Amino acid sequence: MTGTTADPDLTATPPVARRARRHDPNRRDRLIGAALTVIAERGVAGTTHREIAKVADVPLGSMTYHFASLDEILAEAFTRHADSIARVFDERLTAARNRDEAVEAVIALVTDDLLAPGHDLVLTVELYVAAARNPRLRTVTQAWMQRSRDALEIHFDPTTAREVDALIEGLTLHSALSTDPMTPAQIRHAIERYLR
Amino acid sequence: MTGTTADPDLTATPPVARRARRHDPNRRDRLIGAALTVIAERGVAGTTHREIAKVADVPLGSMTYHFASLDEILAEAFTRHADSIARVFDERLTAARNRDEAVEAVIALVTDDLLAPGHDLVLTVELYVAAARNPRLRTVTQAWMQRSRDALEIHFDPTTAREVDALIEGLTLHSALSTDPMTPAQIRHAIERYLR
DNA sequence: TTTGCATGTGTACGAGCGTACACATGATGT
DNA sequence: ACATCATGTGTACGCTCGTACACATGCAAA
C-alpha cells in the first residue's frame, strides 16, 4: 500500500537478511570433504572456492579464513584421500598371515575396495595430474607409493612388491577407463597368474 | 626533440605496428602441435587460447578462426597424441613374427618408447582426466585401448592381451610417478615374468 | 561482568579467460 | 585484371576467478 520505498523505519530487517552466524567446529574438516566431492564431480580444473563453499553451505569468505590458498585446500584434500586408501591397503595386508592370504588380500583390495561402486577412482587420476605440477602433491603420491610397497613387502620380496604395485595400478586404471570393465574373475586371474 | 605528440603527420607508421600478414598454410596443424606443447607444460587446466597462440606465435584471433572452441582444440590434440602412440604400438607388434619376438616388442615398447626421455607421459594422464568429463575424449581413449588390445591379440589370447595391456599401463605410470623409476632390467623382468 | 580474539560473514577489486566481431589482405579462379 | 572470399589480425565485452579486507558475533579468559 505505502510502497516499499515509503517505509522510514531504518531499523527494519534489511532487504537481504544476513546469514545467521553458526557455531561450526570442524568446519575445516567439512570443507576438505566438500573439496573432495567437488574434485570428483568437476575435476581439479573445475574446483573453485565458490563451488566448495556452495557444497559445504558456507559463505565464500569462510574459505579464505580456513585456507590460505586453493593449493592448500587441494593438498589437504588429496592427503586425506591418499591416507584413506593407504590405510585400507595396510589393514588388508597386515591381517594376512601368510603368502596365500596375502594374495587373497591383494585380490580383495582391487575388487572390493579400489573398484567398489562408490569409490571415486577418478580422484586418484586427478591427484596424479595435479602432482605432476605441484611439488607438495608429489610428496603425497610418493609417500603413498612407499607405504603401499612397504605393506606388500611384509609378504613379498621388494622386486615382486614393486611389480605387483604397478600391476594393481594398471588393473584399476584400465577397468576405470574401459566401457567394459574387468570382472572380479578376470582381476583374480591376472593377479594369481602373477603371484602363484 | 619536438616530442612524440608534436608530429602532425597522420600517415606515419602508427605507434603500434600491425603485425605483417603471413602466408601460413597448415597453421592449423601447427596450432595442434602447440596445444600439445602447452598441455604437457601447463596441463589441460593451464591451456588457454592465449597461451597456445603465444607458443605458435600467432595472434589470438587466429585461434577462434581455426577452432570453434577450446574443446575442439583439445580433442584434436589428444587424438593426434593417441594416434601417434598407437601407431608405434602397431608397428612393433606387427613386425614381431612369433611369440618370443612379441614379448621383446612389448619390452622395447615400454622401455624405448613410452619411457623414452623425450616422451611426455604426463600427456597421457592428462588425457585420462580430461576424458573422464568429456565424452568426445572418452571416445579417443577407448579407440586407443581397443587398438592396443587388437595389436596384442596378434600374438596373445584375448585374456592375456588385456592383462598385459593393463600391466604396461601400470609399469609406465608407476615409473613416471616415482622418484626412483624402474630400470629397463626391472621392466624386462616384470614383463617376462608375466609372459613366459 | 567485561573484554579480547578466534571465528564467521559479506563484498569489492583486479586479472585472466573464452568468445565475438569488425576490419585487412592477398591467393585464386575467371 | 580484377573480384571474391578464405584466411589473417586486433580488440572489446561480459564473465568468473582468487584473494583481500572490513565488519559482526559470541566463547572463554580474567
Side-chain angles (χ1 to χ4, degrees):
Chain A
M1 303 299 184
T2 56
T4 54
T5 58
D7 190 349
D9 182 0
L10 297 178
T11 67
T13 310
V16 178
R18 192 179 177 89
R19 194 190 307 222
R21 179 193 175 89
R22 277 184 292 169
H23 177 61
D24 194 1
N26 68 8
R27 167 175 293 191
R28 199 171 193 282
D29 273 357
R30 274 181 47 234
L31 288 176
I32 295 173
L36 284 173
T37 301
V38 174
I39 295 169
E41 282 177 0
R42 318 250 178 169
V44 170
T47 298
T48 68
H49 279 133
R50 286 169 176 82
E51 190 66 23
I52 297 171
K54 198 198 305 178
V55 167
D57 187 34
V58 142
L60 174 61
S62 193
M63 299 303 300
T64 61
Y65 174 72
H66 287 285
F67 302 93
S69 71
L70 200 58
D71 253 27
E72 186 176 313
I73 311 176
L74 293 179
E76 300 220 23
F78 279 126
T79 299
R80 175 184 293 187
H81 171 71
D83 280 350
S84 89
I85 296 185
R87 187 182 319 117
V88 176
F89 216 108
D90 273 345
E91 287 170 0
R92 290 243 186 229
L93 284 165
T94 303
R97 297 202 275 204
N98 53 52
R99 189 183 164 108
D100 273 352
E101 285 185 17
V103 173
E104 289 302 322
V106 170
I107 292 169
L109 182 77
V110 174
T111 58
D112 298 349
D113 299 326
L114 299 178
L115 294 182
H119 183 73
D120 276 312
L121 203 48
V122 71
L123 229 38
T124 300
V125 190
E126 291 279 354
L127 170 56
Y128 293 162
V129 166
R133 285 171 194 90
N134 186 329
R136 188 167 172 183
L137 293 179
R138 213 167 315 142
T139 307
V140 174
T141 61
Q142 281 164 10
W144 178 11
M145 269 183 55
Q146 190 56 55
R147 200 167 154 190
S148 301
R149 264 199 259 172
D150 288 348
L152 287 167
E153 287 182 16
I154 298 174
H155 303 282
F156 306 106
D157 67 276
T159 298
T160 302
R162 182 154 204 186
E163 291 172 354
V164 171
D165 204 20
L167 179 62
I168 291 171
E169 191 84 57
L171 289 173
T172 53
L173 194 58
H174 239 60
S175 274
L177 291 175
S178 179
T179 40
D180 164 35
M182 292 174 81
T183 64
Q186 286 175 310
I187 298 285
R188 169 176 291 275
H189 181 268
I191 292 173
E192 287 187 335
R193 178 171 183 173
Y194 205 84
L195 286 178
R196 302 230 224 239
Chain B
M1 304 312 177
T2 56
T4 54
T5 60
D7 190 348
D9 183 358
L10 297 180
T11 66
T13 311
V16 179
R18 191 178 180 87
R19 195 189 306 221
R21 181 191 173 88
R22 276 183 292 169
H23 178 60
D24 192 1
N26 68 9
R27 165 175 294 192
R28 208 184 133 90
D29 272 358
R30 272 180 49 235
L31 288 176
I32 294 172
L36 284 172
T37 300
V38 174
I39 295 169
E41 283 178 359
R42 319 250 179 169
V44 170
T47 298
T48 67
H49 279 132
R50 286 168 175 82
E51 190 65 24
I52 298 171
K54 197 200 303 180
V55 168
D57 187 35
V58 143
L60 174 61
S62 194
M63 299 303 299
T64 60
Y65 174 73
H66 286 285
F67 302 94
S69 70
L70 200 57
D71 252 27
E72 186 176 314
I73 311 177
L74 292 179
E76 300 220 24
F78 278 126
T79 299
R80 175 185 293 187
H81 171 70
D83 280 351
S84 89
I85 297 185
R87 187 183 318 116
V88 176
F89 216 108
D90 273 345
E91 287 170 1
R92 291 243 186 228
L93 284 165
T94 304
R97 296 201 276 205
N98 53 52
R99 190 183 163 109
D100 273 351
E101 285 185 17
V103 173
E104 290 302 322
V106 170
I107 293 169
L109 182 76
V110 174
T111 59
D112 298 349
D113 298 328
L114 299 179
L115 294 181
H119 183 72
D120 277 312
L121 203 47
V122 71
L123 230 38
T124 301
V125 190
E126 291 280 355
L127 170 56
Y128 292 163
V129 166
R133 289 171 189 87
N134 185 328
R136 188 166 172 185
L137 292 179
R138 212 167 315 143
T139 307
V140 173
T141 62
Q142 281 165 9
W144 179 9
M145 269 184 54
Q146 190 57 54
R147 199 168 154 189
S148 300
R149 266 200 260 170
D150 288 348
L152 286 167
E153 287 182 16
I154 298 173
H155 304 280
F156 306 104
D157 66 277
T159 297
T160 302
R162 182 152 203 189
E163 293 172 354
V164 170
D165 203 18
L167 179 62
I168 292 171
E169 192 84 56
L171 289 173
T172 53
L173 195 56
H174 239 60
S175 274
L177 292 175
S178 177
T179 40
D180 165 35
M182 292 174 82
T183 63
Q186 286 174 309
I187 298 284
R188 168 176 292 276
H189 180 267
I191 293 172
E192 287 187 337
R193 179 171 180 173
Y194 205 84
L195 287 178
R196 300 229 226 242

